[in-house]
Amino acid sequence: MKSRAGTLAAPFPYFGGKSLACAEVWAALGDPVNYVEPFSGSAAMLLGRPTEGHIETINDADGFVANFWRAISLDADAVAKHADWPVNEADLYARHSWLVRQSQTLIERLLADPDYYDSKIAGWWCWGLCSWIGDGWCSSVNHKLPSLGDAGRGIPRQIPSLSASAGINRQIPGLCNSRSQFIREWFEKLQDRLRNVRVTCGDWSRVLNESVTTRHGLTGVFLDPPYTKGNMDYAVGGVGGTLADVVRAWCVENGNNPLLRIVLCGHAGEHDELLSHGWHLRKWKAHKGYALSDEAVANTASETLWCSPHCIPERKIQESLFDFETEAA
Ligand SMILES: C[S@@+](CC[C@H](N)C(=O)[O-])C[C@H]1O[C@@H](n2cnc3c(N)ncnc32)[C@H](O)[C@@H]1O
């Protein structure tokens, strides 16, 4: 349940997840009093924060994400119970089909009733992410199927991930009880970590106004929209599109605010327009993961972070290390 950096890990792999970028991102953001993550997905960046923040807000437009965190807050044990299930292809297919049909009304139910959550949807969604290969889990492409009456028609079928390491499906020695306890403890830790975090479910732009950001003081913003290149298929936002361009335009407009430290993710070159506005670059290395084509492997190798002018520059960290070493000598 720990990431490589020793912080709490997300309990499921997420396509485009940024757990391996945490060290670079937090080096650039420092320890701001306020933190906002408008495209949170697995919340890997929040969970990878070296210290717990004063005010923290995560958002995603996907109802499955919002339901997962609400269910974890209100009944982590029940979510753990539903997530605890062997990897089984027939179950993966059947549960995927069932979940896709829930998605039509899930957001409506979440927004209509502050007490509403569904621990079965949360647990199965998490279990499926750990068993599914690549993107497309509960995706919007599937949501748009014209007929969902006959369970599963048109829902893509694939062999489950048989690698032993994904999230809650990793190899745990011992009996069923050991795995159940492992999952339960992990979810309880997530429940504790998320206790003071505000979770919103909607469009990214809603959490970037002044009342959510700079009114609270120095604010770190981590922006990880679906990339323009690479055909990632998320449950919301679908495949490709121009969202990343709109996000970059917001960055151009707001990057010079001294109360904002902004980090934007993309592939090499994607947001280089920002360099002429005083932004600087940092690199990080993603897992090759399920990248099979040459293009996908190249995209993985070119993961880039654009850091706004008021982020902590890499130079500064090296200088302070140098000062420390000189003093110590
Ligand atoms: C690249 S993923 C984020 C991954 C995340 N940083 C992580 O480490 O798991 C992009 C996310 O943006 C969400 N998304 C797509 N369109 C959105 C929108 N208009 N507003 C908010 N979130 C959106 C998707 O549901 C997806 O979770």
Side-chain angles (χ1 to χ4, degrees):
M1 64 183 78
K2 290 260 169 85
S3 69
R4 285 187 188 180
T7 49
L8 191 57
F12 47 82
Y14 201 77
F15 203 70
K18 295 298 180 298
S19 59
L20 296 180
C22 288
E24 285 297 328
V25 171
W26 286 110
L29 295 179
D31 191 17
V33 67
N34 185 34
Y35 173 66
V36 182
E37 192 176 335
F39 302 92
S40 63
S42 67
M45 197 48 62
L46 174 97
L47 298 172
R49 185 174 188 169
T51 52
E52 226 170 279
H54 183 49
I55 307 165
E56 296 174 318
T57 306
I58 59 170
N59 171 74
D60 201 288
D62 186 343
F64 287 109
V65 174
N67 177 63
F68 181 79
W69 293 118
R70 194 187 274 181
I72 283 281
S73 310
L74 294 168
D75 197 347
D77 280 359
V79 183
K81 203 171 95 226
H82 289 293
D84 186 2
W85 193 251
V87 176
N88 178 313
E89 183 176 3
D91 292 341
L92 186 65
Y93 182 68
R95 288 179 174 200
H96 188 211
S97 161
W98 182 80
L99 283 168
V100 165
R101 277 172 283 136
Q102 305 315 305
S103 68
Q104 305 283 333
T105 52
L106 181 61
I107 291 222
E108 283 159 33
R109 282 176 277 158
L110 285 164
L111 296 182
D113 178 357
D115 291 325
Y116 173 83
Y117 65 96
D118 189 315
S119 54
K120 181 163 121 178
I121 291 179
W124 283 17
W125 180 73
C126 171
W127 168 86
L129 281 166
C130 297
S131 313
W132 189 257
I133 298 176
D135 64 339
W137 176 248
C138 298
S139 88
S140 55
V141 174
N142 297 328
H143 294 182
K144 285 180 200 143
L145 285 171
S147 163
L148 293 167
D150 47 350
R153 191 173 124 206
I155 306 280
R157 179 166 161 197
Q158 57 159 268
I159 189 165
S161 167
L162 301 175
S163 77
S165 59
I168 54 167
N169 284 348
R170 68 189 56 178
Q171 288 297 321
I172 304 285
L175 304 174
C176 290
N177 275 347
S178 315
R179 178 179 296 281
S180 303
Q181 189 182 341
F182 170 76
I183 299 175
R184 216 175 35 247
E185 283 174 7
W186 194 343
F187 285 12
E188 280 165 7
K189 285 197 163 68
L190 290 168
Q191 184 178 30
D192 286 343
R193 177 63 182 91
L194 269 288
R195 180 60 188 87
N196 292 321
V197 175
R198 293 107 52 98
V199 181
T200 58
C201 178
D203 192 61
W204 64 285
S205 54
R206 298 183 326 150
V207 289
L208 287 178
N209 60 42
E210 193 249 341
S211 64
V212 186
T213 59
T214 50
R215 187 176 295 174
H216 302 288
L218 183 63
T219 300
V221 177
F222 177 60
L223 292 166
D224 186 17
Y227 291 5
T228 312
K229 270 203 301 184
N231 281 348
M232 293 188 211
D233 180 10
Y234 292 105
V236 289
V239 179
T242 54
L243 181 54
D245 300 334
V246 182
V247 173
R248 181 174 63 251
W250 182 89
C251 290
V252 170
E253 223 168 276
N254 292 277
N256 281 321
N257 186 334
L259 284 177
L260 287 176
R261 290 179 182 163
I262 309 163
V263 174
L264 171 63
C265 303
H267 289 310
E270 192 175 351
H271 302 300
D272 278 354
E273 178 196 344
L274 293 171
L275 301 179
S276 60
H277 295 270
W279 290 56
H280 62 275
L281 295 178
R282 282 169 181 263
K283 290 255 176 204
W284 67 281
K285 197 119 203 256
H287 274 310
K288 273 201 215 130
Y290 300 112
L292 292 178
S293 65
D294 289 348
E295 190 201 357
V297 173
N299 285 343
T300 304
S302 79
E303 290 280 359
T304 304
L305 304 169
W306 284 262
C307 306
S308 67
H310 296 282
C311 282
I312 301 171
E314 273 177 292
R315 193 169 16 94
K316 222 174 192 161
I317 297 167
Q318 277 152 12
E319 272 167 14
S320 60
L321 276 176
F322 177 74
D323 291 347
F324 177 74
E325 279 163 12
T326 321
E327 273 167 32

